[in-house]
Structure formats: C-alpha cells, structure tokens
Amino acid sequence: MTDAVLEETALDIDWSKYGRAPHSDPFAVMRLIDRIDRLIEALERPQLKPEETLWKSEQIADWLGLSKQTVELRVVTRPDFPSALRPVDSKQAQRRWFASDVMKWARGTAGTIPASRPGRRRKAA
C-alpha cells in the first residue's frame, strides 16, 4: 500500500478512537479492511426466521429473562410447553425448540411464566 493511500485513509478516519494512525503501523489499514470485510460478510448472511431457528435452553432463558436453571426446571417441563426435538438420535443430545413455538407459547401464557427468584439472602453479620 502506498504512502498516498495511507495518508488519504488517515484523513478519512478519526484515528484517535483507535490509538494511532495507519502511517505509524502500515499493517493497521490491512487489519482494518480485513475486519470490515468480515463484518460485511456477517451482515450479508441471510438471517433465519424464528420458524427456522432452533433454541437451546440458554437462549430460551435469555429471551424470557430467566435463569437457565429456572427454564430447565420450571418452564420446559410444563405440559403445555412446545415439545422438544433432538438434532441427533441420542438421549444425551441437547434438546432444542423452534423459536417461533416458544414465542407463541410465551405470548399465550403471559402472566403464568414463572418469575425468577431473587438470590439467597445473607444473614446479617
């Protein structure tokens, strides 16, 4: 990369956010371009719809705002909760649920989803 390109790039970017201008590190621009390329690739990938997305219990917990333990003990065990599937035929395989089924279930049972319990209270010293 020529010095003219480095200087032109340095003028277009506020390098104070990144600690140093590219002319002090000739490979900085190349690393930046590589990161931008990876970001563009990620953004251009097709996003799956909820009907096509499988969630693990951790993702259900994040979406419901509950702990993973609460979800595994008090949510997915409910008889009205959508049935799980296992991606492979093994009892050890982690169960997964279609995100759209979980969302539909949560909307239909609003107010009856178990609330997270506060942490254990400590005794006063």
Side-chain angles (χ1 to χ4, degrees):
M1 190 169 285
T2 66
D3 288 339
V5 172
L6 288 175
E7 288 176 24
E8 181 180 321
T9 306
L11 294 174
D12 294 342
I13 298 173
D14 179 10
W15 288 98
S16 64
K17 297 177 189 175
Y18 305 103
R20 59 182 167 211
H23 53 77
S24 64
D25 181 0
F27 297 103
V29 172
M30 297 305 292
R31 286 193 301 271
L32 182 61
I33 289 170
D34 181 53
R35 291 180 72 187
I36 291 171
D37 285 342
R38 284 185 280 141
L39 179 61
I40 290 170
E41 285 176 20
L43 292 172
E44 287 178 341
R45 277 188 217 122
Q47 298 296 315
L48 293 177
K49 298 174 185 170
E51 307 83 55
E52 302 165 339
T53 304
L54 290 174
W55 276 353
K56 297 183 280 185
S57 55
E58 293 93 349
Q59 292 162 306
I60 295 170
D62 286 342
W63 191 76
L64 292 174
L66 300 170
S67 71
K68 178 185 172 193
Q69 184 178 13
T70 298
V71 166
E72 290 177 347
L73 296 175
R74 300 177 61 206
V75 176
V76 300
T77 56
R78 293 173 57 149
D80 61 336
F81 195 78
S83 57
L85 62 96
R86 295 182 195 272
V88 294
D89 188 24
S90 169
K91 293 281 185 196
Q92 289 80 27
Q94 189 175 37
R95 297 175 298 168
R96 292 188 169 68
W97 295 263
F98 282 102
S100 60
D101 293 345
V102 174
M103 291 175 181
K104 182 179 177 184
W105 172 85
R107 287 184 184 99
T109 58
T112 63
I113 296 173
S116 2
R117 297 185 309 186
R120 293 173 58 182
R121 296 183 184 188
R122 297 181 181 208
K123 294 181 182 178

